[in-house]
Amino acid sequence: MNDRERILGRVRRALADVPHDDPPYEQAVSRDYLTEHGERGVEETVELLAENLADYRAIVHRCTAADLPATIAGMLTARGSKTVLAPPGLDPAWLAAAGAEQVADRAESTPHELDRVDSVVTACAVAVAETGTLVLDGGPDQGRRRVTLVPDHHICVVRVPDQVVSSVPQALTRLTPTRPLTWISGPSATSDIELDRVEGVHGPRTLEVVLVSD
Amino acid sequence: MSGTYLGMPAFPKAAHEAVGNQTLRGNLRHATHTIRGKRAKAVSEVSDWAELREAGKRIKDHTLRHLDRYLVQLEESVTAAGGTVHWAADADEANRIVTELVKETGESEVVKVKSMATQEIGLNEALEAEGIRAYETDLAELIVQLGKDRPSHILVPAIHRNRGEIRDIFEREMSEWGRPAPEGLTDTPAELAEAARLHLREKFLRAKVGVSGANFMVAETGTLVVVESEGNGRMCLTLPETLISVVGIEKIVPTWRDLEVFLQTLPRSSTAERMNPYTSMWTGTTDSETADGPRTFHLVLLDNGRTDTLADEVGRQALRCIRCSACLNVCPVYERAGGHAYGSVYPGPIGAILSPQLRGTGSEIDASLPYASSLCGACYEVCPVAIDIPEVLVHLRERVVEGGPVTREGNKVVLKPAKGHAAERAAMRAARWAFSHPGALRTGQRLASRTRRLHPRTLPGPGSAWSGTRDLPAVPAEPFRDWWQRTQGGKGGAK
């Protein structure tokens, strides 16, 4: 008998007490919890997102679509970034005003090459206001998971209000499970030394978020 | 290396040594009190906490009650998404599978995401024996690994170390494992974290094989979820060509939607945050055109005592555990004894019920664990999936004292009563007799009430050790049943 049959056999024997008419999943699971905490208007939800992002030490900017290229260019200049990585599907206009040299993420580029990139600019799939979370789903304007991981500076652009939801339950309904998903809430952090929170261990040490409205 | 649990003394002895260690007690007290306060605040932000807790409990219970079905469904989903599923009945089998998978890649080192399951099976040691070096990449796990130490907490394994100790470990050991600690390293957490970043980055960037566990596996979609803070998890799950995840069979949730419950309760219960900095979700492998992450993915489903735990109708609720560690931080016993005293990778209240079930109560340490508690109930109170830890503790105490039928490695066996519990066993037997003979109980209680002035304040004989540190409970002037009879006139049917 192989381990698969052995384990499944043990599970079935262990569950001999469970009746055949045990309630099915739909009845067994109660969902009396909320799908949103508190009542907010659209603008208040965006404001909550900004607050919660900042609370976890992300740097939040707000601008209009027309001002986005100048805003991004200003952030890269302030950081002193000489190179910036843009995913293949990113709107070229976003980086039109940037002085930094643009680097493409090629399938064959090594992690070491990515490590030499100063900044990365991406869009996101959805942002969660109640938790201050950005979710990337590997779409063409967000790139592969590693591009937002290895460089030390990540600029993430969120279109408000249409990419913003209130809560985790609302976010999950907007996402496709089979895509590679990364949920980001603030920059990399650790509390492993005497529970003192330190920002920046292995992921980007600086996370800047631009909330863009039309 | 001191990382073994073999030959661990029983809990009372190990705890006795730990409570004498001033530094350890100070470090633990600071840490548990800090996180306890933060957690209470994070939970109070969510007005529907009770409903989320109930939903989490029910999802997990339902899954456990139909685990065979969900395991098969998960296997199908992962396979359909391009992953390969392996089954491991015990630690040896899991270690053998992982070792062979690493060898097939031709590599001799792996980077690891912090994982309780791989610690439970002693994977690092098994790989080491085969000439494969496993690098722990979580900062706390790195501290433990470099310090040739054992983890003492589920979430923050180096909680027993203070910054000065960590600095000394880095200075002394980092050069043995790769990039040495920077010159003139101080003990500020920011500098220590930076030293870890530099030390580990060279390993991440060259790693070809990653090894992880998972917080959740979705049966419906085959999606695996890892929740973390530092980004080391993202590194290990993203950069290597091959990813091997070793996951306990109880980590399944049926549907994608179920994550909405646990992604709200886990971060708030564990790190007291609204959301942890990073959560990675992956489903098998992606095709070459949009290649994102490892090209090869192996999932090793681990039993190692879980099906035996499942066979115990009272104890199986321990398998609901999502490893948040909230119960450790509120436990008065853990706070004083520290994690090492539990002699298991699962310390604290959850460890006291999980370890003796996963491993059986055969060893001295496992037989002592159900007693490593004051039964105050704080652990049950904070548990985000409502595991009634005190109930299981009492159940396991009875098993240790009385013996009885249990399942070990899938077989039903009858356990003998543990040695050294004769007095307790006699007391239990007497109690059972008294409770099944109401007349005798009534007479005994009345007698006790009427002679209360004559009762000693300490127990004689072997009981003196117990009453030496406790006050004996005072006997009331009147038994409850007499009081009830007198004030309620026996309404409601006391016979």
Side-chain angles (χ1 to χ4, degrees), chain A residues 9-87:
Chain A
R10 285 180 186 178
V11 170
R12 286 173 188 138
R13 283 197 300 281
L15 296 172
D17 65 299
V18 177
H20 288 294
D21 59 349
D22 199 54
Y25 171 81
E26 293 74 20
Q27 289 166 31
V29 178
S30 55
R31 301 209 188 261
D32 302 328
Y33 51 87
L34 305 170
T35 47
E36 182 169 355
H37 296 90
E39 283 180 22
R40 289 177 298 268
V42 171
E43 188 46 45
E44 286 166 311
T45 301
V46 173
E47 195 49 49
L48 181 65
L49 173 67
E51 271 173 36
N52 284 339
L53 281 164
D55 196 30
Y56 280 6
R57 319 272 169 89
I59 303 163
V60 182
H61 307 261
R62 298 191 73 160
C63 71
T64 62
D67 289 337
L68 183 59
T71 304
I72 290 176
M75 290 157 72
L76 292 170
T77 306
R79 170 99 183 172
S81 295
K82 293 191 172 61
T83 50
V84 58
L85 188 138

Side-chain angles (χ1 to χ4, degrees), chain B residues 314-384:
Chain B
V314 178
R316 72 166 60 132
Q317 58 183 306
L319 297 175
R320 276 189 223 139
C321 176
I322 55 173
R323 313 282 189 257
C324 73
S325 73
C327 62
L328 277 62
N329 301 322
V330 297
C331 178
V333 177
Y334 175 86
E335 183 189 323
R336 287 162 181 84
H340 290 157
Y342 293 80
S344 148
V345 296
Y346 303 107
I350 186 63
I353 62 167
L354 198 53
S355 305
Q357 295 200 85
L358 292 177
R359 304 191 296 207
T361 49
S363 73
E364 204 190 344
I365 180 81
D366 285 316
S368 74
L369 284 177
Y371 294 88
S373 165
S374 64
L375 297 182
C376 74
C379 47
Y380 174 44
E381 203 80 355
V382 297
C383 178

Side-chain angles (χ1 to χ4, degrees), chain B residues 17 27 73 79-80 89 93 127 167 333 371 406 430 488:
Chain B
E17 284 162 17
N27 295 351
Q73 190 187 8
T79 308
E93 183 61 11
L127 289 172
R167 190 200 75 100
V333 177
Y371 294 88
V406 292
Q488 303 287 318

Side-chain angles (χ1 to χ4, degrees), chain A residues 100-150:
Chain A
E101 180 201 342
Q102 288 186 38
V103 183
D105 178 38
R106 298 168 298 120
E108 60 277 15
S109 60
T110 65
H112 284 99
E113 286 168 21
L114 275 178
D115 196 29
R116 290 192 286 272
V117 172
D118 293 325
S119 301
V120 56
V121 179
T122 72
C124 75
V126 63
V128 190
E130 286 180 7
T131 57
T133 304
L134 312 167
V135 188
L136 276 58
D137 72 354
D141 54 1
Q142 297 151 57
R144 293 183 291 162
R145 285 181 282 170
R146 60 190 209 164
V147 304
T148 55
L149 171 63
V150 183

